[in-house]
Amino acid sequence: MRLSVAAAISHGRVHRRLGLNPRSRLDLLRNLVTALVRHERIEAPWARADEMRGYAERLIEYAKLGDTDERAMRMANFWLTEKDLIHKLFKVLAPRFQPHPGSYTRLLQIPNRDNLDRAKMAVIELKGNPFPPLITPRRDTDKTLLNQLLKGYRQDMQQAAAP
Amino acid sequence: ALVVVFSPLPRLRGLLQRCWGRLERGLLPGFCGGWSPPWGPALAVQAPAFVPEPVSDTGESGEVPSLFDSILWMAAPKKRRTIEVNRCRRRNPNKLIKVKRNIDVCPECGNLKQKHVLCGYCYAKVKAETQLIRMEIRKKEGGPFNTPTVETVVLYEGEKPTEEDKGKRIIERARKRPSWFVQN
């Protein structure tokens, strides 16, 4: 059993290190959260979007507590750098997500960025945004092979049962 | 340049030299050879800087110790790597590029996509449309920091706001509704 940890090994460590230092990481995430609340759909590197998702969802949970709550207002004041978005958060997003118990965001991976770095990118959006949907759910049509076979089987069963 | 010229008494000079020699051997064991510049109470005189250098190791001290002496100086390959060994290393599976088995055909547009990633073509299409909607929003808002405190709804040509679009801000887009944007 390894009793001392080598500094350069990071097996199993879950906390990501973004930016220059912890303060810079929080500033980065804060900018992303502000952009998400403003535009409701953002493209960002996957690691940053994944990190930001937790903070955004907790912010919405705080907003659900209401406008008059002191802690909620202080959180919104810290996390949203553009102050007109505080109004949007409490008046638009909180009522929109009131019936939902959790998971207010959707994170989907995009093809890698076209630059030299080929970074893994993701698009993160708030559910219920006015923009066109990113994934259209496909309904099963009757024309697929499996459905045709099942239909035939059902008809055979009915003919065998009827006469 | 300064040149030291001295004129002490011979006996005093000898004594001082011996004392200094002992000191130096104790304090500076790395001092070159047994030669020390003739010293003693002296007089500093401005003169050209040429000092006859005695024969010493100062010429070689800057050089790297000769390669004959040191066996453990630098690592180097002993034998030429044969082409068989080279092939084993270069073609080992962990050096080859892995074959991707998670590529599928997008059912909407027919382009190739990875299974866990959005289709590039469909995403670009949606992104372009979102960009146009955002431009309309920007025109409607006018300046920066004018986010409204109501929801937004996008209506295309020939569409009227319905019951549920009552208190919302309406964004008009001057085109027919695309088939992939289903109105809720």
Side-chain angles (χ1 to χ4, degrees), chain B residues 17 20 24 31-39 51-56 58:
Chain B
Q17 224 168 21
W20 182 247
E24 269 175 353
F31 201 78
C32 54
W35 184 80
S36 56
W39 66 273
V51 174
E53 275 270 23
V55 179
S56 63
T58 46

Side-chain angles (χ1 to χ4, degrees), chain A residues 38 41 43 84 109 136, chain B residues 118 123 127 134 145 147:
Chain A
R38 165 161 245 121
R41 181 184 282 178
E43 226 178 74
D84 55 323
Q109 195 183 339
T136 43
Chain B
L118 295 182
Y123 177 68
K127 192 171 166 183
R134 283 208 181 122
F145 309 129
T147 330

Side-chain angles (χ1 to χ4, degrees), chain B residues 1-183:
Chain B
L2 278 161
V3 166
V4 174
V5 169
F6 70 98
S7 54
L9 297 169
R11 258 179 252 151
L12 186 61
R13 186 178 102 205
L15 172 66
L16 287 168
Q17 224 168 21
R18 264 172 274 133
C19 288
W20 182 247
R22 257 176 255 140
L23 248 177
E24 269 175 353
R25 257 169 263 126
L27 293 175
L28 298 162
F31 201 78
C32 54
W35 184 80
S36 56
W39 66 273
L43 180 66
V45 163
Q46 285 277 20
F50 173 70
V51 174
E53 275 270 23
V55 179
S56 63
D57 325 347
T58 46
E60 270 185 47
S61 60
E63 258 177 42
V64 155
S66 61
L67 293 167
F68 305 116
D69 308 346
S70 53
I71 313 164
L72 301 167
W73 179 240
M74 287 286 220
K78 196 70 180 172
K79 293 300 240 170
R80 176 208 159 106
R81 279 170 165 179
T82 58
I83 187 63
E84 293 88 3
V85 166
N86 279 343
R87 279 197 194 117
C88 286
R89 185 185 65 257
R90 288 169 194 159
R91 296 181 188 183
N92 179 33
N94 76 12
K95 293 240 165 114
L96 301 177
I97 305 176
K98 306 267 182 318
V99 174
K100 283 198 208 290
R101 303 229 175 245
N102 52 3
I103 305 181
D104 261 342
V105 171
C106 169
E108 312 279 325
C109 59
N111 291 60
L112 297 174
K113 72 183 267 294
Q114 276 191 298
K115 284 184 186 160
H116 59 288
V117 177
L118 295 182
C119 167
Y121 186 82
C122 300
Y123 177 68
K125 190 172 65 177
V126 170
K127 192 171 166 183
E129 183 61 30
T130 331
Q131 189 61 22
L132 295 169
I133 297 175
R134 283 208 181 122
M135 273 180 9
E136 297 285 325
I137 293 178
R138 201 154 38 152
K139 268 191 280 184
K140 196 145 197 192
E141 282 182 2
F145 309 129
N146 289 344
T147 330
T149 52
V150 288
E151 297 262 9
T152 313
V153 119
V154 180
L155 293 176
Y156 286 87
E157 240 157 34
E159 283 172 18
K160 300 281 176 291
T162 64
E163 284 303 308
E164 31 175 67
D165 304 338
K166 261 293 154 56
K168 299 185 188 176
R169 160 177 78 155
I170 305 202
I171 303 288
E172 308 273 313
R173 276 279 296 127
R175 58 157 281 184
K176 191 172 73 96
R177 180 167 280 263
S179 57
W180 37 270
F181 190 177
V182 175
Q183 190 173 18

